[in-house]
Amino acid sequence: MQNFTFLNNQLISTLTDEYHTPFYVYSQKEIEKQCQAILAIPAPFGLTARYAIKANPNTAILKIIENTGFHFDASSEYEVIRCLKAGIAADKIQLTSQEMSSEHLELIIKEGVRFNACSLEQLRRYAALAPRNSEISIRINPGLGSGSSRKTNVGGPSSSFGIWYEQVEEVKALAEECGLRITRLHSHVGSGADPAVWERAASLTLAVARQLPEVKTLNLGGGFKVARHAGEVSTSIEAVGQTVADVLKKEAEETGRNYHLELEPGTFLVANAGSLVCSIDDITHTGDDGYTFLKINAGMDMLTRPALYAAHHPCIPVSDSDEQVEYVITGHCCESGDLFSVSADDTLEPRLLPKSNIGDTVIIEGAGAYCASMSLKNYNSFPQVAELILDHEDKAHIIKKRETMEQILVNEVLPSYL
Ligand SMILES: *Cc1c(COP(=O)(O)O)cnc(C)c1O
């Protein structure tokens, strides 16, 4: 009998009887539990928690998270529009984006969505359209890097995110010239599980806030790491919360400034609240010195993290065999990079798993964040898969239908000369 984060054998067989694999399944209870853990952080001068929509933007997930009291962090203007369409109030949404086209900026200003300028140019573009004296947030790069690889690092000199902390004087001069008031300060360096890194990120951000007298809200971003498998450490949200609360109290004693705290978890809320349910399509071997491959009916087109970052997701065959076999798990795309059991240096990493057969179900865990949302959709013309949510009684509801071939082709145009 295997252990799953939120599924069990009975539930899996009920789901696979009713729905064709592959599909994503999420747990409302798990999501709500994680939301509550964040909302319990003892911020001394108030807390607003924002969900980083990009982790999993499905409307049903947004609604569940909103109902716990969360606000939202959008990473593009399109995520803002998605939220507005979901009926989320504009003042609960803050936009922090790499690209800021003027196309939607007017809408964002008109609706009253909060804007977090990530560069001097964004500040200028916003000022050109916003009423004078508008309140604004700025994102700074406090000079501290983090993240488990270059591809997930979002701070320090090699990261393009935010305004470099040494440019604060320029920002102040520009804001004054444009008639904008900087009342909120933001940094997101992906601090991870170590409270000491959070302490350092908070202190560096506060040092910048000391130069910006109108700032009342300090947003420290997200990046609360969760363990997806046995070898990883999860953030102790109590320890990080207490550390940040202590830094804010100390700052209040030293400067008399009481900062309202904002946090923006994405991964922490949904990563372990989602699994990809798939099946073994084929099993092949490459001889005595080779490998045994479990070929599953899922792949990088729906879950890209292993191919992109060599991310480790538990892949658990639903098998009651006591015999253990070393398997390499491969996806269904015609691409040798479509590999689920991959080592950090990007080589095949066989896993010891219960002996499995063609047709067995496989549960890929830790698949709630940056999986459905960040996939190489439609590679090999595979359709986007269905997504389900389990309610409080573990009853499944469809929250995204499986895509049809017609939908894949809908925007293709065959010019008449062909
Ligand atoms: C992606 C992102 C987050 C969330 O990061 P997680 O690692 O998923 O917690 C928060 N804030 C901003 C600005 C982001 O871009």
Side-chain angles (χ1 to χ4, degrees):
M1 199 76 143
Q2 293 99 339
N3 274 322
F4 303 97
T5 50
F6 63 87
L7 292 170
N8 57 56
N9 290 61
Q10 175 61 47
L11 202 47
I12 292 166
S13 74
T14 308
L15 291 174
T16 52
D17 281 349
E18 189 162 352
Y19 304 96
H20 285 288
T21 66
F23 54 83
Y24 279 101
V25 58
Y26 306 114
S27 160
Q28 179 173 0
K29 286 182 282 189
E30 287 295 316
I31 297 170
E32 288 173 347
K33 187 182 82 188
Q34 295 300 91
C35 290
Q36 298 310 341
I38 294 284
L39 294 169
I41 286 176
F45 311 109
L47 171 71
T48 300
R50 299 183 179 280
Y51 170 52
I53 299 161
K54 69 182 188 292
N56 192 326
N58 186 285
T59 305
I61 303 229
L62 299 183
K63 288 284 187 195
I64 287 171
I65 293 177
E66 186 190 22
N67 287 339
T68 69
F70 263 68
H71 292 202
F72 295 89
D73 157 49
S75 290
S76 78
E77 55 220 73
Y78 294 95
E79 285 186 353
V80 169
I81 294 167
R82 176 186 273 281
C83 273
L84 294 173
K85 280 186 180 296
I88 292 165
D91 69 356
K92 287 189 186 174
I93 309 166
Q94 174 157 283
L95 173 63
T96 300
S97 71
Q98 279 287 81
E99 174 194 311
M100 189 58 253
S101 76
S102 300
E103 189 191 343
H104 295 119
L105 197 50
E106 266 174 83
L107 171 83
I108 282 159
I109 291 168
K110 183 170 103 321
E111 293 285 338
V113 171
R114 290 163 174 250
F115 186 64
N116 184 22
C118 297
S119 71
L120 293 167
E121 177 58 24
Q122 284 193 3
L123 204 57
R124 277 186 212 103
R125 282 190 211 160
Y126 186 81
L129 296 170
R132 278 192 85 76
N133 277 322
S134 293
E135 294 192 15
I136 194 170
S137 169
I138 59 163
R139 175 176 184 170
I140 54 140
N141 176 343
L144 172 73
S146 176
S148 51
S149 73
R150 190 200 67 74
K151 289 181 187 158
T152 55
N153 178 26
V154 286
S158 63
S159 163
S160 71
F161 297 97
I163 300 170
W164 187 241
Y165 69 100
E166 290 166 325
Q167 293 172 342
V168 178
E169 284 309 314
E170 249 174 284
V171 172
K172 280 173 80 167
L174 183 63
E176 194 154 326
E177 184 192 315
C178 298
L180 293 175
R181 295 172 53 213
I182 301 168
T183 55
R184 308 186 311 274
L185 184 65
H186 174 280
S187 73
H188 166 71
V189 298
S191 298
D194 184 355
V197 178
W198 281 93
E199 182 172 12
R200 194 155 152 64
S203 303
L204 289 171
T205 311
L206 282 168
V208 174
R210 285 190 183 195
Q211 303 169 64
L212 296 165
E214 285 200 276
V215 167
K216 293 189 173 54
T217 297
L218 199 75
N219 184 324
L220 295 178
F224 304 91
K225 193 177 162 54
V226 296
R228 289 182 172 84
H229 62 95
E232 288 183 311
V233 210
S234 278
T235 309
S236 157
I237 209 69
E238 293 79 12
V240 167
Q242 195 56 55
T243 301
V244 171
D246 290 346
V247 173
L248 292 180
K249 271 190 233 152
K250 188 161 153 272
E251 185 73 5
E253 280 158 22
E254 282 173 25
T255 64
R257 293 175 70 177
N258 301 344
Y259 292 101
H260 183 85
L261 177 66
E262 292 199 358
L263 296 169
E264 297 173 336
T267 304
F268 186 83
L269 301 192
V270 288
N272 284 331
S275 295
L276 179 62
V277 180
C278 55
S279 312
I280 300 171
D281 181 65
D282 204 348
I283 301 178
T284 62
H285 312 267
T286 48
D288 291 345
D289 298 326
Y291 301 93
T292 303
F293 294 96
L294 284 189
K295 298 190 176 182
I296 55 176
N297 66 350
M300 67 203 293
D301 56 299
M302 60 193 81
L303 200 167
T304 310
R305 297 181 75 254
L308 188 63
Y309 316 127
H312 182 125
H313 287 265
C315 300
I316 312 173
V318 182
S319 155
D320 47 21
S321 172
D322 293 330
E323 196 182 331
Q324 300 272 309
V325 179
E326 279 203 337
Y327 290 118
V328 171
I329 303 137
T330 68
H332 60 181
C333 292
C334 296
E335 188 76 37
S336 44
D338 193 8
L339 199 60
F340 283 85
S341 47
V342 57
S343 70
D345 63 1
D346 211 23
T347 55
L348 271 62
E349 188 174 67
R351 295 195 191 162
L352 203 56
L353 296 170
K355 187 168 170 37
S356 302
N357 298 302
I358 291 172
D360 286 353
T361 302
V362 175
I363 307 297
I364 302 184
E365 298 206 312
Y370 305 102
C371 289
S373 67
M374 191 191 67
S375 65
L376 301 171
K377 294 177 172 77
N378 297 143
Y379 184 47
N380 285 187
S381 294
F382 281 114
Q384 289 179 49
V385 297
E387 296 174 52
L388 313 173
I389 189 108
L390 297 175
D391 66 17
H392 289 153
E393 279 73 48
D394 279 341
K395 183 169 156 13
H397 306 262
I398 288 257
I399 59 171
K400 184 167 182 172
K401 291 190 230 171
R402 181 175 195 260
E403 194 177 26
T404 63
M405 197 65 213
E406 288 66 38
Q407 289 169 330
I408 295 178
L409 293 171
V410 72
N411 287 326
E412 286 191 22
V413 178
L414 186 67
S416 57
Y417 77 94
L418 294 173

mmCIF file of all heavy atoms in Angstrom, residues 50-78:
data_model
loop_
_atom_site.group_PDB
_atom_site.id
_atom_site.type_symbol
_atom_site.label_atom_id
_atom_site.label_comp_id
_atom_site.label_asym_id
_atom_site.label_seq_id
_atom_site.Cartn_x
_atom_site.Cartn_y
_atom_site.Cartn_z
ATOM 1 N N ARG A 50 -1.187 37.616 -0.545
ATOM 2 C CA ARG A 50 -1.583 37.559 -1.959
ATOM 3 C C ARG A 50 -1.177 36.210 -2.535
ATOM 4 O O ARG A 50 -0.053 35.775 -2.332
ATOM 5 C CB ARG A 50 -0.857 38.648 -2.764
ATOM 6 C CG ARG A 50 -1.154 40.036 -2.312
ATOM 7 C CD ARG A 50 -0.473 41.091 -3.197
ATOM 8 N NE ARG A 50 -0.851 42.399 -2.693
ATOM 9 C CZ ARG A 50 -2.018 42.983 -2.960
ATOM 10 N NH1 ARG A 50 -2.864 42.410 -3.796
ATOM 11 N NH2 ARG A 50 -2.329 44.141 -2.424
ATOM 12 N N TYR A 51 -2.066 35.618 -3.292
ATOM 13 C CA TYR A 51 -1.736 34.366 -3.975
ATOM 14 C C TYR A 51 -1.074 34.705 -5.308
ATOM 15 O O TYR A 51 -1.616 35.497 -6.102
ATOM 16 C CB TYR A 51 -3.016 33.560 -4.214
ATOM 17 C CG TYR A 51 -2.847 32.371 -5.124
ATOM 18 C CD1 TYR A 51 -1.850 31.419 -4.892
ATOM 19 C CD2 TYR A 51 -3.695 32.180 -6.227
ATOM 20 C CE1 TYR A 51 -1.701 30.319 -5.736
ATOM 21 C CE2 TYR A 51 -3.556 31.083 -7.059
ATOM 22 C CZ TYR A 51 -2.549 30.165 -6.810
ATOM 23 O OH TYR A 51 -2.398 29.075 -7.643
ATOM 24 N N ALA A 52 0.098 34.124 -5.561
ATOM 25 C CA ALA A 52 0.791 34.323 -6.835
ATOM 26 C C ALA A 52 0.089 33.470 -7.886
ATOM 27 O O ALA A 52 0.309 32.261 -7.994
ATOM 28 C CB ALA A 52 2.256 33.951 -6.709
ATOM 29 N N ILE A 53 -0.766 34.129 -8.660
ATOM 30 C CA ILE A 53 -1.683 33.453 -9.579
ATOM 31 C C ILE A 53 -0.974 32.515 -10.544
ATOM 32 O O ILE A 53 -1.498 31.470 -10.926
ATOM 33 C CB ILE A 53 -2.456 34.518 -10.400
ATOM 34 C CG1 ILE A 53 -3.271 35.390 -9.459
ATOM 35 C CG2 ILE A 53 -3.352 33.886 -11.454
ATOM 36 C CD1 ILE A 53 -3.680 36.710 -10.094
ATOM 37 N N LYS A 54 0.261 32.880 -10.942
ATOM 38 C CA LYS A 54 0.927 32.100 -11.986
ATOM 39 C C LYS A 54 1.166 30.648 -11.571
ATOM 40 O O LYS A 54 1.326 29.785 -12.422
ATOM 41 C CB LYS A 54 2.239 32.766 -12.403
ATOM 42 C CG LYS A 54 3.359 32.754 -11.364
ATOM 43 C CD LYS A 54 4.558 33.501 -11.946
ATOM 44 C CE LYS A 54 5.829 33.419 -11.138
ATOM 45 N NZ LYS A 54 5.779 34.129 -9.849
ATOM 46 N N ALA A 55 1.163 30.376 -10.265
ATOM 47 C CA ALA A 55 1.391 28.996 -9.824
ATOM 48 C C ALA A 55 0.286 28.069 -10.323
ATOM 49 O O ALA A 55 0.557 26.920 -10.705
ATOM 50 C CB ALA A 55 1.474 28.934 -8.301
ATOM 51 N N ASN A 56 -0.932 28.568 -10.306
ATOM 52 C CA ASN A 56 -2.068 27.791 -10.810
ATOM 53 C C ASN A 56 -3.269 28.722 -10.936
ATOM 54 O O ASN A 56 -3.901 29.058 -9.937
ATOM 55 C CB ASN A 56 -2.398 26.630 -9.872
ATOM 56 C CG ASN A 56 -3.362 25.652 -10.527
ATOM 57 O OD1 ASN A 56 -4.235 26.053 -11.308
ATOM 58 N ND2 ASN A 56 -3.202 24.389 -10.231
ATOM 59 N N PRO A 57 -3.568 29.169 -12.151
ATOM 60 C CA PRO A 57 -4.537 30.259 -12.309
ATOM 61 C C PRO A 57 -5.980 29.819 -12.530
ATOM 62 O O PRO A 57 -6.833 30.657 -12.806
ATOM 63 C CB PRO A 57 -4.017 30.960 -13.571
ATOM 64 C CG PRO A 57 -3.476 29.838 -14.405
ATOM 65 C CD PRO A 57 -2.913 28.823 -13.428
ATOM 66 N N ASN A 58 -6.274 28.551 -12.387
ATOM 67 C CA ASN A 58 -7.647 28.098 -12.656
ATOM 68 C C ASN A 58 -8.639 28.886 -11.792
ATOM 69 O O ASN A 58 -8.424 29.087 -10.589
ATOM 70 C CB ASN A 58 -7.756 26.599 -12.380
ATOM 71 C CG ASN A 58 -9.118 26.067 -12.788
ATOM 72 O OD1 ASN A 58 -10.106 26.295 -12.096
ATOM 73 N ND2 ASN A 58 -9.184 25.391 -13.914
ATOM 74 N N THR A 59 -9.749 29.300 -12.416
ATOM 75 C CA THR A 59 -10.722 30.153 -11.723
ATOM 76 C C THR A 59 -11.245 29.512 -10.435
ATOM 77 O O THR A 59 -11.422 30.201 -9.426
ATOM 78 C CB THR A 59 -11.901 30.474 -12.673
ATOM 79 O OG1 THR A 59 -11.356 31.049 -13.866
ATOM 80 C CG2 THR A 59 -12.877 31.444 -12.054
ATOM 81 N N ALA A 60 -11.472 28.215 -10.442
ATOM 82 C CA ALA A 60 -11.985 27.542 -9.237
ATOM 83 C C ALA A 60 -10.954 27.654 -8.102
ATOM 84 O O ALA A 60 -11.312 27.876 -6.935
ATOM 85 C CB ALA A 60 -12.284 26.077 -9.538
ATOM 86 N N ILE A 61 -9.688 27.533 -8.452
ATOM 87 C CA ILE A 61 -8.630 27.646 -7.427
ATOM 88 C C ILE A 61 -8.573 29.084 -6.898
ATOM 89 O O ILE A 61 -8.447 29.307 -5.687
ATOM 90 C CB ILE A 61 -7.278 27.202 -8.039
ATOM 91 C CG1 ILE A 61 -7.438 25.780 -8.556
ATOM 92 C CG2 ILE A 61 -6.121 27.428 -7.072
ATOM 93 C CD1 ILE A 61 -6.469 24.762 -8.219
ATOM 94 N N LEU A 62 -8.706 30.054 -7.802
ATOM 95 C CA LEU A 62 -8.716 31.458 -7.357
ATOM 96 C C LEU A 62 -9.862 31.691 -6.365
ATOM 97 O O LEU A 62 -9.690 32.353 -5.347
ATOM 98 C CB LEU A 62 -8.863 32.413 -8.547
ATOM 99 C CG LEU A 62 -7.767 32.377 -9.627
ATOM 100 C CD1 LEU A 62 -8.042 33.437 -10.695
ATOM 101 C CD2 LEU A 62 -6.374 32.578 -9.042
ATOM 102 N N LYS A 63 -11.032 31.122 -6.673
ATOM 103 C CA LYS A 63 -12.205 31.323 -5.799
ATOM 104 C C LYS A 63 -11.979 30.695 -4.428
ATOM 105 O O LYS A 63 -12.299 31.295 -3.396
ATOM 106 C CB LYS A 63 -13.452 30.683 -6.439
ATOM 107 C CG LYS A 63 -13.957 31.438 -7.636
ATOM 108 C CD LYS A 63 -14.685 32.687 -7.173
ATOM 109 C CE LYS A 63 -15.350 33.381 -8.348
ATOM 110 N NZ LYS A 63 -15.748 34.756 -8.004
ATOM 111 N N ILE A 64 -11.447 29.483 -4.419
ATOM 112 C CA ILE A 64 -11.195 28.801 -3.140
ATOM 113 C C ILE A 64 -10.243 29.643 -2.297
ATOM 114 O O ILE A 64 -10.451 29.859 -1.096
ATOM 115 C CB ILE A 64 -10.595 27.398 -3.401
ATOM 116 C CG1 ILE A 64 -11.679 26.465 -3.941
ATOM 117 C CG2 ILE A 64 -9.954 26.818 -2.139
ATOM 118 C CD1 ILE A 64 -11.154 25.122 -4.432
ATOM 119 N N ILE A 65 -9.201 30.154 -2.939
ATOM 120 C CA ILE A 65 -8.183 30.909 -2.203
ATOM 121 C C ILE A 65 -8.745 32.260 -1.762
ATOM 122 O O ILE A 65 -8.513 32.705 -0.636
ATOM 123 C CB ILE A 65 -6.900 31.023 -3.055
ATOM 124 C CG1 ILE A 65 -6.275 29.621 -3.198
ATOM 125 C CG2 ILE A 65 -5.922 32.025 -2.457
ATOM 126 C CD1 ILE A 65 -5.038 29.539 -4.058
ATOM 127 N N GLU A 66 -9.537 32.891 -2.635
ATOM 128 C CA GLU A 66 -10.142 34.180 -2.256
ATOM 129 C C GLU A 66 -11.038 34.017 -1.028
ATOM 130 O O GLU A 66 -11.050 34.867 -0.139
ATOM 131 C CB GLU A 66 -10.955 34.756 -3.428
ATOM 132 C CG GLU A 66 -11.467 36.150 -3.112
ATOM 133 C CD GLU A 66 -12.479 36.686 -4.115
ATOM 134 O OE1 GLU A 66 -13.115 35.879 -4.812
ATOM 135 O OE2 GLU A 66 -12.634 37.922 -4.157
ATOM 136 N N ASN A 67 -11.776 32.916 -0.988
ATOM 137 C CA ASN A 67 -12.698 32.692 0.128
ATOM 138 C C ASN A 67 -12.000 32.549 1.476
ATOM 139 O O ASN A 67 -12.620 32.703 2.517
ATOM 140 C CB ASN A 67 -13.582 31.463 -0.135
ATOM 141 C CG ASN A 67 -14.632 31.753 -1.193
ATOM 142 O OD1 ASN A 67 -14.955 32.913 -1.448
ATOM 143 N ND2 ASN A 67 -15.147 30.706 -1.829
ATOM 144 N N THR A 68 -10.708 32.247 1.461
ATOM 145 C CA THR A 68 -9.991 32.164 2.742
ATOM 146 C C THR A 68 -9.538 33.545 3.213
ATOM 147 O O THR A 68 -9.042 33.681 4.321
ATOM 148 C CB THR A 68 -8.725 31.273 2.641
ATOM 149 O OG1 THR A 68 -7.755 31.934 1.822
ATOM 150 C CG2 THR A 68 -9.031 29.895 2.094
ATOM 151 N N GLY A 69 -9.681 34.560 2.352
ATOM 152 C CA GLY A 69 -9.278 35.914 2.732
ATOM 153 C C GLY A 69 -8.059 36.428 1.984
ATOM 154 O O GLY A 69 -7.564 37.513 2.288
ATOM 155 N N PHE A 70 -7.591 35.672 1.028
ATOM 156 C CA PHE A 70 -6.407 36.101 0.268
ATOM 157 C C PHE A 70 -6.734 37.169 -0.774
ATOM 158 O O PHE A 70 -7.833 37.225 -1.316
ATOM 159 C CB PHE A 70 -5.799 34.888 -0.470
ATOM 160 C CG PHE A 70 -4.651 34.242 0.261
ATOM 161 C CD1 PHE A 70 -4.861 33.569 1.445
ATOM 162 C CD2 PHE A 70 -3.355 34.313 -0.249
ATOM 163 C CE1 PHE A 70 -3.804 32.974 2.116
ATOM 164 C CE2 PHE A 70 -2.294 33.722 0.406
ATOM 165 C CZ PHE A 70 -2.506 33.046 1.592
ATOM 166 N N HIS A 71 -5.726 37.975 -1.078
ATOM 167 C CA HIS A 71 -5.715 38.861 -2.239
ATOM 168 C C HIS A 71 -4.811 38.213 -3.292
ATOM 169 O O HIS A 71 -4.377 37.075 -3.108
ATOM 170 C CB HIS A 71 -5.212 40.251 -1.847
ATOM 171 C CG HIS A 71 -6.153 40.996 -0.947
ATOM 172 N ND1 HIS A 71 -6.149 42.353 -0.825
ATOM 173 C CD2 HIS A 71 -7.123 40.559 -0.106
ATOM 174 C CE1 HIS A 71 -7.086 42.737 0.031
ATOM 175 N NE2 HIS A 71 -7.686 41.657 0.493
ATOM 176 N N PHE A 72 -4.494 38.960 -4.374
ATOM 177 C CA PHE A 72 -3.827 38.303 -5.503
ATOM 178 C C PHE A 72 -2.629 39.080 -6.037
ATOM 179 O O PHE A 72 -2.618 40.311 -6.054
ATOM 180 C CB PHE A 72 -4.845 38.051 -6.627
ATOM 181 C CG PHE A 72 -5.904 37.079 -6.180
ATOM 182 C CD1 PHE A 72 -7.055 37.535 -5.562
ATOM 183 C CD2 PHE A 72 -5.708 35.717 -6.303
ATOM 184 C CE1 PHE A 72 -8.009 36.647 -5.086
ATOM 185 C CE2 PHE A 72 -6.654 34.816 -5.834
ATOM 186 C CZ PHE A 72 -7.803 35.291 -5.221
ATOM 187 N N ASP A 73 -1.646 38.315 -6.479
ATOM 188 C CA ASP A 73 -0.455 38.851 -7.145
ATOM 189 C C ASP A 73 -0.488 38.358 -8.583
ATOM 190 O O ASP A 73 -0.408 37.156 -8.834
ATOM 191 C CB ASP A 73 0.801 38.327 -6.423
ATOM 192 C CG ASP A 73 2.036 38.351 -7.317
ATOM 193 O OD1 ASP A 73 2.291 39.404 -7.936
ATOM 194 O OD2 ASP A 73 2.740 37.323 -7.397
ATOM 195 N N ALA A 74 -0.635 39.305 -9.519
ATOM 196 C CA ALA A 74 -0.678 38.940 -10.939
ATOM 197 C C ALA A 74 0.688 39.201 -11.562
ATOM 198 O O ALA A 74 1.319 40.221 -11.283
ATOM 199 C CB ALA A 74 -1.743 39.771 -11.650
ATOM 200 N N SER A 75 1.139 38.287 -12.411
ATOM 201 C CA SER A 75 2.453 38.431 -13.050
ATOM 202 C C SER A 75 2.357 38.926 -14.487
ATOM 203 O O SER A 75 3.372 39.051 -15.165
ATOM 204 C CB SER A 75 3.192 37.096 -13.047
ATOM 205 O OG SER A 75 3.567 36.777 -11.738
ATOM 206 N N SER A 76 1.147 39.147 -14.951
ATOM 207 C CA SER A 76 0.979 39.754 -16.267
ATOM 208 C C SER A 76 -0.379 40.421 -16.294
ATOM 209 O O SER A 76 -1.260 40.116 -15.485
ATOM 210 C CB SER A 76 1.050 38.710 -17.389
ATOM 211 O OG SER A 76 -0.184 38.004 -17.478
ATOM 212 N N GLU A 77 -0.535 41.312 -17.264
ATOM 213 C CA GLU A 77 -1.824 41.982 -17.417
ATOM 214 C C GLU A 77 -2.931 40.958 -17.714
ATOM 215 O O GLU A 77 -4.071 41.156 -17.355
ATOM 216 C CB GLU A 77 -1.714 43.038 -18.515
ATOM 217 C CG GLU A 77 -1.210 42.459 -19.824
ATOM 218 C CD GLU A 77 -0.227 43.366 -20.570
ATOM 219 O OE1 GLU A 77 0.925 43.489 -20.123
ATOM 220 O OE2 GLU A 77 -0.634 43.929 -21.594
ATOM 221 N N TYR A 78 -2.559 39.867 -18.365
ATOM 222 C CA TYR A 78 -3.573 38.848 -18.683
ATOM 223 C C TYR A 78 -4.039 38.125 -17.415
ATOM 224 O O TYR A 78 -5.210 37.743 -17.311
ATOM 225 C CB TYR A 78 -3.027 37.852 -19.716
ATOM 226 C CG TYR A 78 -2.778 38.531 -21.046
ATOM 227 C CD1 TYR A 78 -1.521 39.024 -21.372
ATOM 228 C CD2 TYR A 78 -3.827 38.738 -21.932
ATOM 229 C CE1 TYR A 78 -1.305 39.697 -22.569
ATOM 230 C CE2 TYR A 78 -3.621 39.412 -23.137
ATOM 231 C CZ TYR A 78 -2.358 39.884 -23.446
ATOM 232 O OH TYR A 78 -2.162 40.556 -24.615
#
